[in-house]
Amino acid sequence: MDDHLWVFGYGSLMWRPGFEFEERCEALMHGVHRRLCIYSHVHRGTPEKPGMVLGLDKGGKCRGIGYRVATSGRQATLDYLREREQVTMVYKEVWRDMVVRRAAGEERVRALVYVVDQTHEQYAGKRTAQELLPFVLQGHGKGGPCVEYIASTLEHIREQGFTDPHMEEVLALAERAGSGG
């Protein structure tokens, strides 16, 4: 039995995991998609001026990063992720199948992932880039500005060789608004 912990990263976990891991590889998860769908009250906004952060919402598929954590680091990683991701309980901690691409080929593993709770008051649902813009522009929390979060996530998505057209559109609108255009 493999006691390693696998974690799926689709947002800031791709570029700032914050835990030790033995392996980092491309990953794909079916049945969910990445979306700016959460009003951020802590990391990229406040309750008075919420920003927007990513959640995994139902349907589709999502490319991201799979992390394999050693058995010895399992509990510390779980504790860390729960503290980081469960601040307002907008995410549900679930275990789902994930396909990882390793040197030896593709492999299906069971992974820990945080998906959005659609019944939570911070769930924004499906919004257009224009509807998201005011929240993206005003959002600034303990993790910094919302625009930086989106830009960093997109940078790492591009490094993996794929794109996220919706997030690209949001960032382009935010950059134009920030430059007065």
Side-chain angles (χ1 to χ4, degrees):
M1 161 103 183
D2 182 2
D3 285 339
H4 288 98
L5 168 67
W6 281 95
V7 177
F8 182 64
Y10 59 90
S12 62
L13 284 177
M14 291 193 305
W15 44 276
R16 190 177 50 84
F19 55 87
E20 291 187 30
F21 53 88
E22 291 187 327
E23 185 179 2
R24 178 186 192 274
C25 51
E26 292 179 29
L28 178 67
M29 190 168 283
H30 290 275
V32 289
H33 65 282
R34 175 185 9 256
R35 174 167 289 287
L36 286 165
C37 64
I38 296 172
Y39 297 115
S40 179
H41 292 174
V42 177
H43 294 290
R44 301 295 171 167
T46 65
E48 299 77 29
K49 288 189 172 188
M52 294 302 299
V53 292
L54 293 166
L56 276 185
D57 214 344
K58 292 179 183 174
K61 62 184 174 182
C62 182
R63 289 177 66 178
I65 301 295
Y67 296 98
R68 185 172 54 86
V69 177
T71 303
S72 60
R74 182 184 184 91
Q75 193 57 54
T77 300
L78 287 170
D79 292 344
Y80 167 76
L81 287 171
R82 288 172 179 156
E83 183 177 323
R84 174 178 169 164
E85 302 296 328
Q86 299 292 70
V87 175
T88 63
M89 301 304 286
V90 69
Y91 297 107
K92 294 179 181 179
E93 181 181 280
V94 298
W95 296 89
R96 296 188 65 131
D97 286 341
M98 168 176 80
V99 176
V100 292
R101 182 173 293 150
R102 303 165 95 174
E106 291 186 351
E107 180 182 349
R108 184 174 302 276
V109 298
R110 200 76 173 150
L112 172 70
V113 65
Y114 291 89
V115 299
V116 67
D117 178 354
Q118 291 184 335
T119 66
H120 196 281
E121 65 183 12
Q122 286 174 250
Y123 178 64
K126 185 176 181 177
R127 302 284 181 121
T128 67
Q130 196 65 50
E131 290 170 328
L132 293 170
L133 185 61
F135 299 100
V136 169
L137 293 174
Q138 78 180 5
H140 193 289
K142 75 177 195 175
C146 188
V147 173
E148 274 182 18
Y149 164 78
I150 294 169
S152 292
T153 303
L154 279 170
E155 178 183 332
H156 288 82
I157 286 172
R158 292 179 199 126
E159 284 175 6
Q160 296 301 311
F162 63 99
T163 61
D164 186 312
H166 184 66
M167 285 181 60
E168 295 279 2
E169 182 183 4
V170 171
L171 183 61
L173 285 174
E175 288 173 343
R176 279 198 300 275
S179 65

